[in-house]
Amino acid sequence: MSFVMGLNPMRTTGVKQLWRHACRLVAAAVTVAAISQPAYALIELDITQGNVEPMPIAISPFAGSGLQEDVAGQISQVVAADLQRSGLFRPIDPTAHIQQGMNVGTMPRFGDWRTIGSQALVTGSIAQQANGQIRAEFRLWDVFAGQQLIGQQFFTTPENWRRLAHIISDAVYQRLTGEKGYFDTRVVFIDESGPKDVRRKRLAIMDQDGANVRYLTRGDDLVLTPRFSPVSQEVTYMSYVGGNPQVYLFNIETGQREVLGNFPGMTFAPRFSPDGQKVIMSLQQGSNANLYLMDLRTRRTTRLTNTAAIDTSPSFSPDGSLVVFESDRGGSQQLYVMNSNGSGATRISFGPGQYSTPVWSPRGDLIAFTKVHQGRFMIGVIRPDGKGERILTEGYHNEGPAWSPNGRVLTFFRDTVGEQGGPQVWTVDLTGYNEQLVQTPNFASDPAWSPLLD
Amino acid sequence: MRKALGIERVKVGARLVLATGVLSGCAAMADSGTSLLPLTSDELAVFRDQIAGCWIPPHGSDGVVRLQFDLSRSGELVGTPQVLSSGKSPEYKAAATSAVRAVARCAPYSLPAEKYETWKTVTLNFDLRDMRGY
Amino acid sequence: MSKTLFARGARFAAVVAVCLVAAACSQTRPELTSGNSSVAAGSGQDFVVNVGDRVFFLNNQSSIDGSARAVLDKQAQWLQHYKNYSITIEGHADERGTRQYNIALGARRAAAVREYLVAKGISPTRIKTLSYGKERPVAVCNAASCWSQNRRAVTVLNGQ
């Protein structure tokens, strides 16, 4: 904070100099004041703290003509639900809106929106086109500045209405938070049904909000730990096809499945490299598990670790230069970071308990993990240098974090106790305050986020 | 609301003493009827808290937004705040929008009427550099 | 309680009984009729009921302890006698760990049993190992007693 004349010279000027300099400015200011309105601010403050509360926002129910009336209403509801779940916005109940019946062309009465405490406003219209498509238009308004921040128009088929809603949510989220959204994304996961001791596990995919669940395998074979390609509609996962557990590659669009590599043992815990061209995984060799890298184009495999230990759950840094993984080489499961050629492994976790399933944030700044200590299972984050560990959620059983593509939210699964218990997919943001259950038809585990869809 | 964080008093105090010294020295030199009475550190703190309480820093942003605005004698915002810094990135745009909104939302401001000449124009630096949304 | 759970309980009791009498068993040749004489000698049921198809492990351990050795000694004798069988050793873990680590831990347990049987003269070519991690529990209650039943390696006969 400072209290000086005009532009702030304090950071670069010595005290004595400042004296003279400031006095000249005062004199100037006073002189100018006599002639015209002064343009000098006499008070200058640094605001370094804000209010970490969700932003109140109004999503005016979208207008729809004829057949599209229901769809229009549903789109605005999905937008409101997306923004609400992010924890960064608090949509205001539409029944509290003073200005009703808006369409995308209606000029907002900003005073009305300020009265109900709204800071931003979204309006929209959906119209049927002659060719069967729908035209969707929306605007984002800044209620206090009284101006439009975004105006966009889309053409698509009516069945695409949920994606359309998520795309609008992403646009609003990015304009108001400054970072990319994550609503127009999907999550691949393991659907779990049946009794706990003979559970049927199927590879499945859903929208990030739990809608549009689709099954990718029938459940004849045990499947585990799916991971999305960062660049294509492909998933790598572990399957027990023919009683021979191996890592597979699955193309979501074609339904094509292939085993990855010809390893002399069980392969598991696969994950794509950031460019999507390689898969890193564990190979079981007797009592030990070692990390291998497979190039998807040349099909060449490279051994990365060689220890009398369990090395597993590898995950690349976003630039591909480093790999974080878990290993019990030091006696208990801990996190290690090494170069992506396997050299220079360094332990980064030192807290009490065991650390597992590390996964590098797409922003590169954090590594999420599962931590087990005194019978509690926690999801936490730590910086790649091993500092700044924070626990975001803990309880009986939380496991397997995966990042949203913008690195702001983690999805994971939470298991519940006993014979009737089972896992469900949750999300938590980096504050740790905003935890959300993702509704799924059955039990669900091992969620993994897609990149933003194109 | 989860966290409404106050100001750092040490920083305020140190810089204010210096600034006050400058002003009192100058008032004599200026030899003018217009005496600029400085705000006390408490008055500045209240002002800053008010703005901080109205500002929801955007999660994805990182940088400084500098803006200036005029206030009426009753503490109302006159016109729209003028953004002095510039930037084109989504992060900067979101930060600038949030800063303007905070200033507009917070008005009117309660500042001592007898010192109006001092606070009728205000410059704020909304600093997101040490702020991450977690 | 379901039928399968009851059957499992009975089988578990039988395993414990075999463990207790193991010390009294012949060292040269398994007493194939010393247990339940109503099952056919050399059958899969004979192996499960009279020999014991599984061994258990301590939390996060894969070492073969005294009671496990007793079972595996009997398995080795039985397998020496009935040479037509090949086997799959399935390693398992309890639910109190992460999926990936438990897959490796189950594999480590299966490997420990394999090593033991090989040391007792069973040909490695007859043995396959497989890990199910924590995905195939036999006991599903939320108690340490259940978890200890799930930390196991099961020797499965693969036909003659």
Side-chain angles (χ1 to χ4, degrees):
Chain A
M1 175 183 290
S2 59
F3 181 79
V4 292
M5 313 299 104
L7 297 175
N8 184 353
M10 275 197 176
R11 287 182 183 131
T12 50
T13 327
V15 175
K16 264 190 176 171
Q17 273 182 303
L18 179 71
W19 254 79
R20 277 187 233 115
H21 187 53
C23 291
R24 270 202 303 277
L25 279 172
V26 168
V30 170
T31 313
V32 173
I35 304 160
S36 65
Q37 289 298 311
Y40 299 101
L42 295 182
I43 291 184
E44 176 160 350
L45 295 173
D46 293 342
I47 310 294
T48 57
Q49 303 288 357
N51 193 343
V52 188
E53 69 177 5
M55 179 195 288
I57 187 169
I59 320 293
S60 185
F62 286 12
S65 55
L67 288 174
Q68 302 311 326
E69 198 173 332
D70 288 351
V71 173
Q74 285 170 318
I75 288 175
S76 41
Q77 280 170 24
V78 168
V79 171
D82 279 345
L83 296 176
Q84 169 113 41
R85 288 173 63 86
S86 76
L88 302 181
F89 298 91
R90 182 172 59 76
I92 294 167
D93 184 347
T95 60
H97 297 182
I98 300 169
Q99 188 177 9
Q100 297 275 347
M102 297 186 78
N103 64 48
V104 77
T106 314
M107 189 65 189
R109 298 194 301 265
F110 294 110
D112 285 357
W113 297 103
R114 283 196 295 267
T115 301
I116 61 168
S118 170
Q119 297 191 24
L121 166 69
V122 180
T123 59
S125 293
I126 310 297
Q128 182 86 43
Q129 299 291 102
N131 62 3
Q133 288 206 318
I134 55 173
R135 188 185 72 220
E137 270 184 279
F138 86 97
R139 289 175 198 209
L140 171 66
W141 300 89
D142 186 315
V143 169
F144 281 90
Q147 63 179 7
Q148 181 183 316
L149 297 176
I150 311 177
Q152 285 176 8
Q153 182 172 281
F154 308 91
F155 294 90
T156 186
T157 53
E159 306 81 65
N160 254 344
W161 71 269
R162 285 196 80 96
R163 266 204 77 184
L164 184 61
H166 295 314
I167 288 168
I168 293 171
S169 304
D170 281 329
V172 170
Y173 182 98
Q174 178 163 12
R175 182 60 186 84
L176 295 176
T177 70
E179 69 189 0
K180 279 192 181 303
Y182 55 89
F183 303 115
D184 186 27
T185 57
R186 294 190 280 181
V187 170
V188 63
F189 66 102
I190 300 298
D191 173 273
E192 302 197 14
S193 56
K196 200 168 190 173
D197 52 346
V198 284
R199 202 154 266 171
R200 183 172 177 224
K201 293 185 171 126
R202 285 188 287 177
L203 190 60
I205 190 167
M206 61 184 170
D207 295 350
Q208 52 79 27
D209 60 357
N212 293 328
V213 171
R214 191 154 67 86
Y215 297 101
L216 304 177
T217 63
R218 286 196 312 237
D220 302 337
D221 303 303
L222 174 60
V223 291
L224 299 170
T225 63
R227 309 294 177 209
F228 238 109
S229 163
V231 297
S232 65
Q233 290 295 308
E234 284 181 310
V235 171
T236 180
Y237 65 108
M238 180 197 194
S239 174
Y240 283 65
V241 174
N244 184 24
Q246 293 285 301
V247 166
Y248 284 78
L249 195 63
F250 184 92
N251 188 306
I252 295 169
E253 277 158 2
T254 64
Q256 211 162 32
R257 181 188 73 186
E258 58 173 312
V259 67
L260 268 191
N262 182 24
F263 289 99
M266 172 177 69
T267 49
F268 62 106
R271 202 181 285 278
F272 284 96
S273 61
D275 63 3
Q277 301 300 327
K278 302 184 191 78
V279 169
I280 190 168
M281 61 186 123
S282 285
L283 169 66
Q284 191 70 32
Q285 297 171 293
S287 292
N288 309 318
N290 285 299
L291 299 179
Y292 281 75
L293 187 64
M294 176 166 187
D295 188 309
L296 294 177
R297 283 173 300 191
T298 64
R299 301 279 149 165
R300 211 166 61 88
T301 56
T302 313
R303 181 180 189 141
L304 298 181
T305 67
N306 187 0
T307 58
I310 293 171
D311 294 344
T312 190
S313 304
S315 171
F316 277 97
S317 61
D319 69 359
S321 67
L322 302 169
V323 171
V324 63
F325 62 102
E326 66 170 273
S327 176
D328 65 354
R329 59 182 66 182
S332 76
Q333 286 161 275
Q334 298 292 338
L335 307 185
Y336 292 77
V337 170
M338 66 180 180
N339 297 315
S340 59
N341 66 4
S343 68
T346 311
R347 181 172 160 182
I348 63 160
S349 62
F350 292 93
Q354 293 147 313
Y355 293 76
S356 188
T357 73
V359 51
W360 215 303
S361 156
R363 289 204 306 220
D365 54 348
L366 294 169
I367 289 164
F369 55 80
T370 306
K371 179 178 179 175
V372 184
H373 182 49
Q374 295 179 335
R376 309 275 289 171
F377 279 61
M378 312 161 213
I379 302 296
V381 290
I382 192 169
R383 291 210 304 268
D385 64 2
K387 296 197 172 73
E389 178 179 328
R390 289 191 299 128
I391 298 302
L392 300 178
T393 189
E394 74 169 282
Y396 170 73
H397 196 114
N398 299 291
E399 181 179 341
W403 292 95
S404 63
N406 70 352
R408 169 68 50 200
V409 181
L410 288 161
T411 182
F412 60 98
F413 67 99
R414 174 172 292 167
D415 212 340
T416 46
V417 297
E419 196 167 346
Q420 303 305 320
Q424 289 182 291
V425 171
W426 287 75
T427 60
V428 63
D429 71 4
L430 280 180
T431 67
Y433 288 105
N434 180 34
E435 264 184 27
Q436 305 272 350
L437 173 67
V438 179
Q439 294 287 352
T440 48
N442 301 308
F443 286 132
S445 63
D446 276 348
W449 227 304
S450 78
L452 270 177
L453 303 176
D454 293 322
Chain B
M1 182 167 78
R2 287 192 291 265
K3 284 182 269 181
L5 297 160
I7 58 162
E8 296 159 66
R9 296 207 173 259
V10 174
K11 205 172 158 190
V12 174
R15 291 173 88 173
L16 189 80
V17 168
L18 180 60
T20 310
V22 171
L23 276 174
S24 52
C26 292
M29 279 172 64
D31 189 25
S32 135
T34 318
S35 64
L36 290 171
L37 297 168
L39 296 182
T40 65
S41 59
D42 280 350
E43 288 163 348
L44 284 168
V46 167
F47 183 50
R48 196 162 87 153
D49 274 1
Q50 193 178 350
I51 290 167
C54 290
W55 184 38
I56 302 178
H59 266 60
S61 297
D62 181 21
V64 181
V65 176
R66 183 176 173 84
L67 54 80
Q68 194 175 85
F69 53 93
D70 295 332
L71 296 172
S72 71
R73 282 191 183 274
S74 56
E76 295 284 357
L77 185 63
V78 178
T80 33
Q82 189 188 349
V83 181
L84 305 176
S85 51
S86 62
K88 285 206 173 79
S89 69
E91 292 86 351
Y92 177 80
K93 278 166 69 182
T97 311
S98 77
V100 171
R101 189 164 53 239
V103 169
R105 249 184 97 200
C106 253
Y109 296 90
S110 12
L111 290 158
E114 71 279 9
K115 300 178 183 175
Y116 175 61
E117 291 302 321
T118 311
W119 53 258
K120 69 185 200 182
T121 299
V122 176
T123 301
L124 297 179
N125 297 303
F126 288 83
D127 191 341
L128 291 122
R129 284 173 301 185
D130 293 328
M131 213 179 279
R132 264 291 175 194
Y134 51 85
Chain C
M1 179 180 275
S2 72
K3 234 180 186 174
T4 50
L5 279 179
F6 177 74
R8 217 175 268 136
R11 197 167 62 187
F12 182 63
V15 171
V16 173
V18 168
C19 294
L20 291 174
V21 301
C25 291
S26 158
Q27 291 301 303
T28 53
R29 184 168 146 50
E31 293 295 316
L32 302 176
T33 54
S34 70
N36 187 333
S37 56
S38 69
V39 302
S43 68
Q45 204 184 359
D46 179 35
F47 183 75
V48 172
V49 174
N50 295 328
V51 176
D53 67 342
R54 62 197 58 201
V55 295
F56 300 95
F57 297 86
L58 293 175
N59 187 24
N60 204 11
Q61 299 291 312
S62 58
S63 51
I64 308 289
D65 65 11
S67 56
R69 270 199 296 278
V71 173
L72 295 180
D73 287 343
K74 289 205 69 175
Q75 285 189 4
Q77 287 175 355
W78 195 93
L79 290 167
Q80 293 283 22
H81 191 73
Y82 300 107
K83 290 185 187 299
N84 295 339
Y85 286 102
S86 67
I87 57 171
T88 299
I89 302 162
E90 296 177 355
H92 299 267
D94 67 27
E95 67 193 69
R96 303 306 285 154
T98 55
R99 220 160 223 177
Q100 290 91 317
Y101 182 77
N102 278 350
I103 289 169
L105 181 59
R108 201 182 247 177
R109 286 171 175 161
V113 168
R114 180 182 192 276
E115 257 173 54
Y116 190 91
L117 292 178
V118 168
K120 290 290 171 184
I122 308 299
S123 165
T125 59
R126 292 174 69 190
I127 308 176
K128 194 184 157 214
T129 59
L130 183 59
S131 172
Y132 281 107
K134 62 174 174 178
E135 311 306 323
R136 291 279 182 267
V138 287
V140 294
C141 75
N142 168 38
S145 60
C146 281
W147 300 337
S148 64
Q149 290 178 58
N150 293 333
R151 292 191 298 265
R152 69 201 191 276
V154 181
T155 304
V156 178
L157 302 177
N158 296 330
Q160 306 206 42

